[in-house]
């Protein structure tokens, strides 16, 4: 048994944000599937009917060209818009003929007002890193991209309140406020491309949720444009405000079905001055949980992330991304991050914890790093699995909440069920949040494999009172399984709300709510 205190080799960090500008296609990831070979969604789902929306005409395009003057604001050329039609996973492809790139809330308002009057369906799109097919058209919806809504509006250093437009790239925001010793309460592998508006619309979780809680707490206010073009001002910067219904919460996690978020105020915590990351190996998932319990007790207030990967996930890094693990081979790996304000204190605590874990035999091997570049290297082992899986071909992706004790049984059951019909079944995720990422891959999309996975996976999760979407949302792919996690009365109220806010149903149709 040994603990290394240095990370022996450098790993590339492809998800590094491209800074100081917010033009943001997801180029940092390498997917092997060419866009044009992605099957059109309307072909893959032949029973799905296009809604009663108008067909885009020349007069519509001319209207938008007058509204959004300047180059690159109205895209109608097929080669320019194919990236906007296809999701990050290369599993959904729409047939939109128009992408609009507004710069101001007023422009968004004029766009939605026009689309509503004309009954043109709309898909809001941020960084297009969503994993449930929510950010791309299903048929020919107009894409409204927030790429140019990318201005930081203000920062109150004392309270840590950052106000910005919704198209700011998360990684850019992080870098911007680091100069003020602040940090963003949200962090995820797609930070180099995803927008804060997309994060809000999906209520993204990520690897800091354990420390800072969800966006329902960190978003102090927001501005959204409703489907009829009306601007909803809920742009509070107050920590406490109990005046009436908290309407902003409706938009957090609404996945573009109720309106377009155009700006937000984000509560940014103090940037921790001391961060350490440990990467540990252990023999079973039961041990992952035992160690978690000990970490909560012994690391307490400095514990900021507790993530796990199984052996099959680390094999993805090795085989598909040529990344090496800094420790030997083990059935399970744990990534623990501590963050605090006193390096000596935190290091002492972490070392005592690790020594206890090693001498008790719970941890079999490990490495600890404190240098920023090495911390990033270790994090990339965890954050790049999603990217590595794409190199296999097609990825069947599930993101579930389960009681922690049952968590890994789903992976075991799925592996047994699918056998050799898939390339691999991997399990990793946010243990501290009870959020498992279960992924299967095959060389190409297989309807047979799909029917072995669904509805089995959803029934399994429902049986243990879990959620079929912990953090990625329902989007297009999971909407018809909403009843596995929500009651009839809850879905019915959601439908009523949707109808009252968007009576013509133009906002992101075919997403979130089930087919009626
Ligand atoms: P998009 O993908 O463009 O859109 C997502 C949804 O939000 C769509 O339904 C879209 O219509 C809607 N939307 C976008 N912008 C707006 C807006 N301004 N107003 C209204 N609706 C809008 N998710 C997690 O929760 N945790 C993770 O740890 C995590 N890690 C990821 C790692 C990788 C490598 C990748 C590729 C994705 C990951 N995701 C994760 C999923 C994804 O990054 C998040 O869902 C992210 O919040 C989406 O932001 P986006 O700007 O890319 O939104
Ligand atoms: C993560 O936590 C993301 O890395 C992506 O939520 C998970 O791709 C996945 O399964
Ligand atoms: Zn995740």
């Amino acid at each position: 048994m040994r603990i290394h205190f240095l990370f022996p080799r450098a790993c590339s960090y492809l998800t590094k944000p491209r800074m100081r500008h917010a033009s943001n296609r997801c180029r940092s990831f390498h997917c092997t599937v060419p866009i044009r070979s992605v099957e059109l969604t309307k072909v893959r789902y032949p029973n799905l009917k296009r809604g009663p929306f108008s067909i885009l005409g020349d007069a519509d395009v001319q209207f938008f060209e007058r509204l959004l003057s300047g180059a690159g604001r109205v895209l109608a050329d097929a080669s320019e818009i194919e990236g906007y039609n296809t999701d990050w996973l290369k599993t959904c492809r729409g047939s939109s003929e128009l992408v609009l790139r507004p710069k101001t809330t007023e422009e968004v308002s004029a766009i939605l007002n026009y689309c509503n009057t004309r009954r043109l369906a709309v898909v809001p799109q941020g960084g297009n890193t969503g994993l449930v097919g929510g950010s791309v058209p299903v048929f020919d919806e107009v894409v409204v991209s927030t790429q140019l809504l990318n201005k930081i509006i203000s920062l109150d250093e004392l309270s840590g309140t950052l106000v910005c437009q919704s198209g700011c790239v998360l990684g850019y925001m992080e870098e911007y406020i680091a100069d003020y010793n602040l940090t963003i309460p949200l962090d995820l592998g797609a930070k180099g491309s995803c927008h804060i508006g997309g994060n809000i619309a999906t209520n993204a979780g990520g690897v800091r949720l354990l420390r800072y809680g969800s966006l329902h707490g960190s978003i102090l206010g927001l501005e959204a444009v409703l489907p009829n073009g009306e601007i909803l001002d809920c742009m509070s910067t107050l920590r406490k405000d109990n005046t009436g219904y908290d309407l902003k919460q409706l938009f957090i996690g609404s996945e573009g079905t109720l309106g377009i978020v155009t700006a937000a105020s984000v509560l940014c915590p103090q940037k921790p001055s001391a961060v350490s990351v440990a990467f540990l190996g252990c023999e079973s998932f039961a041990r992952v949980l035992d160690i978690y319990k000990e970490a909560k007790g012994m690391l307490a207030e400095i514990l900021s992330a507790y993530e796990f990967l199984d052996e099959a996930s680390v094999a993805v890094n090795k085989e598909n991304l040529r990344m090496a693990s800094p420790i030997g081979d083990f059935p399970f790996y744990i990534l623990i991050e501590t963050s605090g304000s006193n390096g000596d204190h935190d290091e002492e605590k972490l070392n005592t914890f690790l020594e206890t874990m090693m001498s008790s035999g719970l941890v079999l091997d490990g490495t600890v790093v404190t240098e920023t570049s090495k911390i990033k290297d270790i994090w990339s082992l965890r954050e790049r699995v999603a990217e590595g899986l794409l190199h296999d071909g097609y990825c069947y992706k599930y993101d579930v909440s389960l009681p922690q004790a049952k968590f890994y049984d789903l992976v075991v059951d799925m592996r047994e069920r699918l056998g050799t019909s898939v390339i691999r079944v991997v399990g990793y995720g946010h243990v501290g949040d009870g959020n498992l990422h279960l992924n299967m891959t095959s060389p190409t999309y297989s309807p047979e494999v799909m029917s072995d996975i669904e509805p089995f996976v959803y029934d399994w999760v429902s049986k243990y009172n879990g959620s079929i979407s912990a953090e990625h949302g329902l989007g297009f792919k999971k909407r018809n399984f909403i009843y596995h996690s929500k009651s009839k009365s809850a879905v019915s109220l959601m439908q009523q709300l949707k109808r009252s806010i968007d009576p013509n149903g133009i906002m992101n149709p075919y997403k979130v709510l089930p087919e009626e």
Side-chain angles (χ1 to χ4, degrees):
M1 288 194 299
R2 71 208 149 93
I3 281 269
H4 315 273
F5 286 90
L6 275 176
F7 188 52
R9 55 185 82 74
C11 300
S12 64
Y13 187 69
L14 285 188
T15 53
K16 190 177 188 308
R18 282 154 290 131
M19 289 306 157
R20 298 295 171 202
H21 59 88
S23 82
N24 38 41
R25 305 309 305 151
C26 199
R27 285 201 192 94
S28 45
F29 303 106
H30 303 294
C31 177
T32 46
V33 182
I35 287 181
R36 282 190 191 135
S37 70
V38 180
E39 191 167 32
L40 288 171
T41 305
K42 65 183 178 192
V43 174
R44 182 163 293 166
Y45 299 86
N47 296 330
L48 190 66
K49 281 211 186 74
R50 185 182 178 281
F53 303 111
S54 303
I55 306 260
L56 188 79
D58 290 345
D60 300 318
V61 179
Q62 281 155 17
F63 170 83
F64 293 123
E65 280 171 346
R66 280 195 304 276
L67 179 70
L68 307 177
S69 55
R73 307 240 282 137
V74 177
L75 310 180
D77 183 84
S79 65
E80 271 185 320
I81 64 180
E82 63 181 13
Y84 298 84
N85 265 317
T86 314
D87 71 333
W88 185 85
L89 285 171
K90 307 280 188 290
T91 55
C92 291
R93 182 152 76 102
S95 323
S96 179
E97 295 182 355
L98 193 70
V99 175
L100 303 175
R101 300 170 84 218
K103 287 184 178 171
T104 64
T105 302
E106 289 66 32
E107 287 175 353
V108 176
S109 163
I111 291 169
L112 290 194
N113 179 277
Y114 181 87
C115 289
N116 194 45
T117 310
R118 270 280 292 132
R119 305 284 196 274
L120 289 168
V122 170
V123 189
Q125 189 178 96
N128 197 12
T129 66
L131 299 173
V132 287
S135 55
V136 291
V138 172
F139 293 96
D140 54 351
E141 300 88 280
V142 173
V143 177
V144 178
S145 164
T146 55
Q147 282 172 325
L148 303 180
L149 284 160
N150 56 7
K151 305 281 174 305
I152 302 268
I153 298 167
S154 67
L155 173 67
D156 179 338
E157 280 182 65
L158 185 61
S159 65
T161 311
L162 177 74
V163 179
C164 64
Q165 284 186 300
S166 61
C168 286
V169 174
L170 187 67
Y172 168 74
M173 294 166 66
E174 170 95 72
E175 179 145 298
Y176 177 86
I177 57 165
D179 293 346
Y180 302 89
N181 258 327
L182 295 168
T183 192
I184 296 283
L186 170 74
D187 187 20
L188 57 156
K191 59 179 157 278
S193 301
C194 64
H195 298 184
I196 188 68
N199 300 145
I200 292 170
T202 55
N203 186 24
V207 294
R208 289 187 188 155
L209 191 134
L210 186 71
R211 163 62 62 93
Y212 300 118
S214 86
L215 290 179
H216 283 294
S218 309
I219 298 300
L220 298 181
L222 58 76
E223 175 191 78
V225 177
L226 301 179
N228 64 3
E230 197 181 316
I231 299 170
L232 177 71
D233 180 359
C234 294
M235 205 52 188
S236 173
T237 51
L238 303 171
R239 194 75 195 267
K240 295 174 110 175
D241 175 14
N242 279 352
T243 47
Y245 305 136
D246 191 357
L247 294 177
K248 69 171 183 287
Q249 300 297 355
L250 255 188
F251 290 82
I252 302 176
S254 61
E255 300 185 60
T257 58
L258 299 179
I260 298 188
V261 176
T262 44
S265 59
V266 187
L267 181 63
C268 300
Q270 197 67 19
K271 186 175 158 60
S273 52
V275 179
S276 302
V277 167
F279 193 69
L280 312 173
C282 68
E283 71 180 28
S284 64
F285 189 72
R287 291 283 184 253
V288 173
L289 295 184
D290 292 339
I291 299 164
Y292 177 54
K293 195 166 171 221
E294 296 299 327
K296 284 211 304 180
M298 293 183 72
L299 299 172
E301 79 289 353
I302 64 165
L303 179 66
S304 54
Y306 192 97
E307 302 279 318
F308 98 105
L309 302 101
D310 65 6
E311 199 174 14
S313 307
V314 171
V316 173
N317 289 330
K318 291 180 182 167
E319 290 165 24
N320 292 358
L321 300 174
R322 291 201 209 97
M323 294 169 81
S325 162
I327 58 175
D329 294 339
F330 298 95
F332 289 88
Y333 300 86
I334 301 163
L335 189 160
I336 294 179
E337 185 191 79
T338 63
S339 312
S341 59
N342 182 328
D344 293 341
H345 162 270
D346 296 0
E347 229 168 274
E348 194 187 316
K349 255 184 146 166
L350 183 59
N351 288 344
T352 311
F353 165 72
L354 292 172
E355 276 158 23
T356 313
M357 292 303 97
M358 296 285 285
S359 53
S360 66
L362 289 177
V363 169
L364 300 177
D365 194 6
T367 181
V368 182
V369 295
T370 51
E371 218 179 289
T372 310
S373 66
K374 289 178 177 143
I375 286 176
K376 280 185 175 171
D377 289 340
I378 299 262
W379 265 114
S380 66
L381 285 167
R382 163 64 186 83
E383 291 187 327
R384 289 187 63 197
V385 181
E387 175 201 350
L389 287 162
L390 298 189
H391 290 248
D392 281 349
Y394 188 91
C395 183
Y396 310 82
K397 189 169 286 298
Y398 298 88
D399 153 50
V400 301
S401 276
L402 278 170
Q404 280 146 332
K406 289 306 298 171
F407 208 78
Y408 199 72
D409 294 358
L410 175 57
V411 184
V412 175
D413 284 2
M414 193 57 90
R415 220 168 252 152
E416 196 178 302
R417 182 175 173 86
L418 298 179
T420 53
S421 67
V422 289
I423 299 174
R424 57 183 113 226
V425 176
V426 311
Y428 57 100
H430 316 286
V431 177
D433 311 332
N435 179 185
L436 170 72
H437 293 311
L438 167 72
N439 285 265
M440 282 68 68
T441 58
S442 60
T444 53
Y445 174 72
S446 159
E448 293 76 32
V449 170
M450 187 53 124
S451 61
D452 274 346
I453 297 173
E454 294 182 7
F456 172 83
V457 64
Y458 299 124
D459 292 342
W460 203 105
V461 169
S462 178
K463 188 165 134 198
Y464 294 103
N465 300 317
S467 168
I468 63 155
S469 174
E471 59 175 9
H472 297 162
L474 295 168
F476 170 69
K477 290 185 185 171
K478 301 185 177 174
R479 65 177 180 139
N480 285 330
F481 297 98
I482 191 171
Y483 292 109
H484 280 70
S485 294
K486 285 286 181 297
S487 65
K488 277 202 168 134
S489 55
V491 176
S492 163
L493 184 57
M494 288 183 208
Q495 285 163 330
Q496 282 177 51
L497 282 167
K498 165 77 177 172
R499 274 194 293 270
S500 73
I501 295 174
D502 182 17
N504 298 323
I506 62 158
M507 287 308 307
N508 220 0
Y510 329 105
K511 314 283 171 61
V512 182
L513 295 172
E515 278 171 274
E516 282 189 77

